[in-house]
Amino acid sequence: MEKNNQLILALDVTEKNKALDVAEKVYEYVDAVKIGYPLVLKTGIGIIEDISSRVPVIADFKVADIPNTNRLICEQVFNSGADAVIVHGFTGRDSLDACVATANEYNRQVFVVADMSHPGATEFFQQVSEKIAKMSLDTGVSGVVAPATRTNSVENIRKIIGNELAIISPGVGAQGGSASDVINKGADWVITGRSIYQSDSPDTEAKKVVQEIKNRN
Ligand code: NUP
């Protein structure tokens, strides 16, 4: 994934035509499209191939199982054409290693969830977030997921991982996070879904985010 516009679209629509229509409108503004369970469970895994022919696809399946099952899941994800997969780290190093080994076989990428953007993340996730960030170093992953809704967490995770790993950051727009703030705190890409795909003009909204990032102080 090339770092141009620093925007990743979260395409959580559930109709294939809507997905293709929104993606078509925003291709020029996004560096990747993130596809997760809502769209794949409704339309089938083939949607990943459809979109990945135009733009890199990050498969957000938050893979969180034993190593063998993680490997089997990642094989299917990469066979579908995805360029990267998002996995959980709390399952431990062996489970993460299985995802990375599979990604290496396919020459694809892994992102690990280091902290989450919703309010409930403070109940359990935050207590292990630093440990997951530390563990992610030297594993061969490309980066971590950290929340635009709590930029102090992004700043902290950036200190832990240094410049070795990228940070992709969801929570901009509908969840209240600011694109320019989280990029300033150390994120490489922001992830935005609803504020773009629910808009009457997804391209205008995507362009706004890109300009906000480019024109930030
Ligand atoms: O911590 C996370 N928060 C989050 O919102 C980790 C995620 N992967 N996401 C995903 O980012 C979420 O599942 C959705 O696909 C996207 C944010 O979308 P929106 O809130 O901008 O609509």
Side-chain angles (χ1 to χ4, degrees):
M1 172 168 61
E2 278 184 40
K3 195 165 159 180
N4 294 320
N5 288 328
Q6 296 182 272
L7 172 62
I8 296 166
L9 169 70
L11 194 51
D12 295 325
V13 299
T14 50
E15 297 303 327
K16 186 174 179 180
N17 287 343
K18 169 85 176 165
L20 295 174
D21 178 54
V22 172
E24 193 57 46
K25 288 186 167 126
V26 305
Y27 280 135
E28 64 179 296
Y29 303 111
V30 302
D31 292 338
V33 170
K34 186 179 79 62
I35 294 178
Y37 292 112
L39 182 56
V40 164
L41 290 176
K42 179 72 191 299
T43 67
I45 192 94
I47 190 74
I48 292 183
E49 195 180 351
D50 294 339
I51 306 277
S52 70
S53 62
R54 290 290 301 268
V55 67
V57 168
I58 301 176
D60 187 357
F61 292 139
K62 298 191 183 67
V63 183
D65 216 310
I66 61 167
N68 187 59
T69 308
N70 276 5
R71 175 178 63 79
L72 293 168
I73 294 169
C74 288
E75 282 173 1
Q76 294 311 316
V77 170
F78 295 133
N79 281 335
S80 77
D83 297 86
V85 65
I86 293 176
V87 309
H88 267 305
F90 62 74
T91 41
R93 177 71 192 250
D94 55 352
S95 292
L96 177 58
D97 282 346
C99 297
V100 174
T102 311
N104 288 343
E105 282 170 30
Y106 286 79
N107 199 18
R108 309 289 167 83
Q109 296 182 300
V110 173
F111 291 90
V112 183
V113 182
D115 191 2
M116 294 192 73
S117 60
H118 60 311
T122 58
E123 286 176 49
F124 303 109
F125 215 111
Q126 268 199 335
Q127 291 153 45
V128 293
S129 147
E130 290 189 2
K131 285 186 179 171
I132 292 173
K134 274 184 203 132
M135 179 188 69
S136 303
L137 285 165
D138 304 320
T139 55
V141 303
S142 297
V144 300
V145 181
T149 49
R150 289 196 314 281
T151 54
N152 59 331
S153 173
V154 171
E155 210 171 6
N156 191 31
I157 287 170
R158 174 54 75 200
K159 280 187 195 139
I160 293 168
I161 64 176
N163 288 325
E164 191 181 318
L165 303 178
I167 297 177
I168 59 176
S169 188
V172 166
Q175 295 180 57
S178 142
S180 46
D181 284 356
V182 76
I183 294 285
N184 281 338
K185 291 290 168 56
D188 296 285
W189 282 275
V190 301
I191 299 172
T192 306
R194 284 166 285 178
S195 66
I196 294 176
Y197 68 72
Q198 287 181 347
S199 153
D200 290 336
S201 180
D203 43 338
T204 309
E205 286 307 312
K207 193 174 173 185
K208 260 193 225 163
V209 178
V210 172
Q211 281 176 342
E212 182 193 322
I213 293 171
K214 289 205 194 304
N215 298 334
R216 74 193 189 279
N217 293 315

PDB file of all heavy atoms in Angstrom, residues 13 37-38 44-45 68 74 106-107 132 150 173 176 180 183:
ATOM      1  N   VAL A  13     -20.720  -1.380   3.620  1.00  0.00           N
ATOM      2  CA  VAL A  13     -22.072  -1.445   3.074  1.00  0.00           C
ATOM      3  C   VAL A  13     -22.390  -2.923   2.832  1.00  0.00           C
ATOM      4  O   VAL A  13     -21.485  -3.755   2.825  1.00  0.00           O
ATOM      5  CB  VAL A  13     -22.195  -0.635   1.762  1.00  0.00           C
ATOM      6  CG1 VAL A  13     -21.888   0.826   2.011  1.00  0.00           C
ATOM      7  CG2 VAL A  13     -21.266  -1.197   0.683  1.00  0.00           C
ATOM      8  N   TYR A  37     -16.508  -8.125   7.636  1.00  0.00           N
ATOM      9  CA  TYR A  37     -17.599  -9.109   7.664  1.00  0.00           C
ATOM     10  C   TYR A  37     -18.916  -8.631   7.044  1.00  0.00           C
ATOM     11  O   TYR A  37     -19.579  -9.406   6.353  1.00  0.00           O
ATOM     12  CB  TYR A  37     -17.858  -9.564   9.105  1.00  0.00           C
ATOM     13  CG  TYR A  37     -16.727 -10.367   9.695  1.00  0.00           C
ATOM     14  CD1 TYR A  37     -15.954  -9.860  10.723  1.00  0.00           C
ATOM     15  CD2 TYR A  37     -16.430 -11.644   9.206  1.00  0.00           C
ATOM     16  CE1 TYR A  37     -14.902 -10.590  11.262  1.00  0.00           C
ATOM     17  CE2 TYR A  37     -15.392 -12.383   9.730  1.00  0.00           C
ATOM     18  CZ  TYR A  37     -14.626 -11.857  10.766  1.00  0.00           C
ATOM     19  OH  TYR A  37     -13.596 -12.586  11.279  1.00  0.00           O
ATOM     20  N   PRO A  38     -19.353  -7.381   7.308  1.00  0.00           N
ATOM     21  CA  PRO A  38     -20.688  -7.017   6.789  1.00  0.00           C
ATOM     22  C   PRO A  38     -20.820  -7.249   5.287  1.00  0.00           C
ATOM     23  O   PRO A  38     -21.783  -7.871   4.828  1.00  0.00           O
ATOM     24  CB  PRO A  38     -20.798  -5.524   7.144  1.00  0.00           C
ATOM     25  CG  PRO A  38     -19.906  -5.355   8.343  1.00  0.00           C
ATOM     26  CD  PRO A  38     -18.749  -6.284   8.105  1.00  0.00           C
ATOM     27  N   GLY A  44     -20.441 -12.300  -0.389  1.00  0.00           N
ATOM     28  CA  GLY A  44     -19.476 -13.354  -0.727  1.00  0.00           C
ATOM     29  C   GLY A  44     -18.055 -12.809  -0.825  1.00  0.00           C
ATOM     30  O   GLY A  44     -17.840 -11.619  -1.039  1.00  0.00           O
ATOM     31  N   ILE A  45     -17.107 -13.737  -0.698  1.00  0.00           N
ATOM     32  CA  ILE A  45     -15.687 -13.354  -0.652  1.00  0.00           C
ATOM     33  C   ILE A  45     -15.206 -12.773  -1.990  1.00  0.00           C
ATOM     34  O   ILE A  45     -14.224 -12.030  -2.040  1.00  0.00           O
ATOM     35  CB  ILE A  45     -14.830 -14.577  -0.227  1.00  0.00           C
ATOM     36  CG1 ILE A  45     -13.394 -14.194   0.134  1.00  0.00           C
ATOM     37  CG2 ILE A  45     -14.827 -15.663  -1.292  1.00  0.00           C
ATOM     38  CD1 ILE A  45     -13.183 -13.954   1.585  1.00  0.00           C
ATOM     39  N   ASN A  68      -3.329 -22.946  13.870  1.00  0.00           N
ATOM     40  CA  ASN A  68      -3.719 -23.683  12.661  1.00  0.00           C
ATOM     41  C   ASN A  68      -4.941 -23.067  11.993  1.00  0.00           C
ATOM     42  O   ASN A  68      -4.994 -22.940  10.765  1.00  0.00           O
ATOM     43  CB  ASN A  68      -3.974 -25.161  12.986  1.00  0.00           C
ATOM     44  CG  ASN A  68      -4.208 -25.965  11.726  1.00  0.00           C
ATOM     45  OD1 ASN A  68      -3.341 -26.013  10.849  1.00  0.00           O
ATOM     46  ND2 ASN A  68      -5.391 -26.554  11.599  1.00  0.00           N
ATOM     47  N   CYS A  74      -6.240 -17.225   6.979  1.00  0.00           N
ATOM     48  CA  CYS A  74      -5.401 -16.299   6.194  1.00  0.00           C
ATOM     49  C   CYS A  74      -5.194 -16.812   4.775  1.00  0.00           C
ATOM     50  O   CYS A  74      -5.147 -16.031   3.820  1.00  0.00           O
ATOM     51  CB  CYS A  74      -4.069 -16.046   6.901  1.00  0.00           C
ATOM     52  SG  CYS A  74      -4.274 -15.012   8.377  1.00  0.00           S
ATOM     53  N   TYR A 106       2.476 -15.706   0.763  1.00  0.00           N
ATOM     54  CA  TYR A 106       1.736 -15.049  -0.320  1.00  0.00           C
ATOM     55  C   TYR A 106       2.305 -13.667  -0.660  1.00  0.00           C
ATOM     56  O   TYR A 106       1.757 -12.962  -1.506  1.00  0.00           O
ATOM     57  CB  TYR A 106       0.266 -14.872   0.090  1.00  0.00           C
ATOM     58  CG  TYR A 106      -0.561 -16.136   0.065  1.00  0.00           C
ATOM     59  CD1 TYR A 106      -0.491 -17.059   1.094  1.00  0.00           C
ATOM     60  CD2 TYR A 106      -1.433 -16.401  -0.991  1.00  0.00           C
ATOM     61  CE1 TYR A 106      -1.260 -18.211   1.087  1.00  0.00           C
ATOM     62  CE2 TYR A 106      -2.214 -17.546  -1.013  1.00  0.00           C
ATOM     63  CZ  TYR A 106      -2.124 -18.449   0.030  1.00  0.00           C
ATOM     64  OH  TYR A 106      -2.900 -19.583   0.018  1.00  0.00           O
ATOM     65  N   ASN A 107       3.354 -13.275   0.081  1.00  0.00           N
ATOM     66  CA  ASN A 107       3.910 -11.935  -0.084  1.00  0.00           C
ATOM     67  C   ASN A 107       2.857 -10.845   0.190  1.00  0.00           C
ATOM     68  O   ASN A 107       2.689  -9.902  -0.584  1.00  0.00           O
ATOM     69  CB  ASN A 107       4.491 -11.795  -1.494  1.00  0.00           C
ATOM     70  CG  ASN A 107       5.468 -10.647  -1.573  1.00  0.00           C
ATOM     71  OD1 ASN A 107       5.955 -10.178  -0.546  1.00  0.00           O
ATOM     72  ND2 ASN A 107       5.742 -10.184  -2.775  1.00  0.00           N
ATOM     73  N   ILE A 132       0.587  -5.684  23.417  1.00  0.00           N
ATOM     74  CA  ILE A 132       0.370  -6.133  22.036  1.00  0.00           C
ATOM     75  C   ILE A 132       1.249  -5.328  21.074  1.00  0.00           C
ATOM     76  O   ILE A 132       1.865  -5.880  20.162  1.00  0.00           O
ATOM     77  CB  ILE A 132      -1.125  -6.045  21.655  1.00  0.00           C
ATOM     78  CG1 ILE A 132      -1.921  -7.077  22.459  1.00  0.00           C
ATOM     79  CG2 ILE A 132      -1.325  -6.273  20.157  1.00  0.00           C
ATOM     80  CD1 ILE A 132      -3.416  -6.993  22.306  1.00  0.00           C
ATOM     81  N   ARG A 150      -8.872   8.112  20.390  1.00  0.00           N
ATOM     82  CA  ARG A 150      -8.041   8.381  21.586  1.00  0.00           C
ATOM     83  C   ARG A 150      -6.605   8.556  21.098  1.00  0.00           C
ATOM     84  O   ARG A 150      -5.808   7.629  21.073  1.00  0.00           O
ATOM     85  CB  ARG A 150      -8.155   7.243  22.596  1.00  0.00           C
ATOM     86  CG  ARG A 150      -9.521   7.201  23.292  1.00  0.00           C
ATOM     87  CD  ARG A 150      -9.501   6.339  24.544  1.00  0.00           C
ATOM     88  NE  ARG A 150      -8.834   5.095  24.308  1.00  0.00           N
ATOM     89  CZ  ARG A 150      -9.387   4.040  23.689  1.00  0.00           C
ATOM     90  NH1 ARG A 150     -10.636   4.102  23.265  1.00  0.00           N
ATOM     91  NH2 ARG A 150      -8.702   2.949  23.510  1.00  0.00           N
ATOM     92  N   GLY A 173     -14.403  10.586  11.738  1.00  0.00           N
ATOM     93  CA  GLY A 173     -15.742  10.827  11.183  1.00  0.00           C
ATOM     94  C   GLY A 173     -16.819  10.402  12.152  1.00  0.00           C
ATOM     95  O   GLY A 173     -16.952  10.988  13.240  1.00  0.00           O
ATOM     96  N   GLY A 176     -16.100  10.223  15.763  1.00  0.00           N
ATOM     97  CA  GLY A 176     -15.687  11.479  16.397  1.00  0.00           C
ATOM     98  C   GLY A 176     -14.225  11.844  16.271  1.00  0.00           C
ATOM     99  O   GLY A 176     -13.819  12.936  16.688  1.00  0.00           O
ATOM    100  N   SER A 180      -6.714  15.015  10.903  1.00  0.00           N
ATOM    101  CA  SER A 180      -5.453  15.764  11.036  1.00  0.00           C
ATOM    102  C   SER A 180      -4.826  15.522  12.411  1.00  0.00           C
ATOM    103  O   SER A 180      -3.608  15.354  12.520  1.00  0.00           O
ATOM    104  CB  SER A 180      -5.685  17.255  10.792  1.00  0.00           C
ATOM    105  OG  SER A 180      -6.805  17.702  11.495  1.00  0.00           O
ATOM    106  N   ILE A 183      -3.161  11.967  12.554  1.00  0.00           N
ATOM    107  CA  ILE A 183      -1.949  11.913  11.727  1.00  0.00           C
ATOM    108  C   ILE A 183      -0.830  12.665  12.457  1.00  0.00           C
ATOM    109  O   ILE A 183       0.311  12.200  12.535  1.00  0.00           O
ATOM    110  CB  ILE A 183      -2.205  12.505  10.317  1.00  0.00           C
ATOM    111  CG1 ILE A 183      -3.200  11.633   9.539  1.00  0.00           C
ATOM    112  CG2 ILE A 183      -0.876  12.663   9.554  1.00  0.00           C
ATOM    113  CD1 ILE A 183      -2.695  10.324   8.973  1.00  0.00           C
TER     114      ILE A 183
END
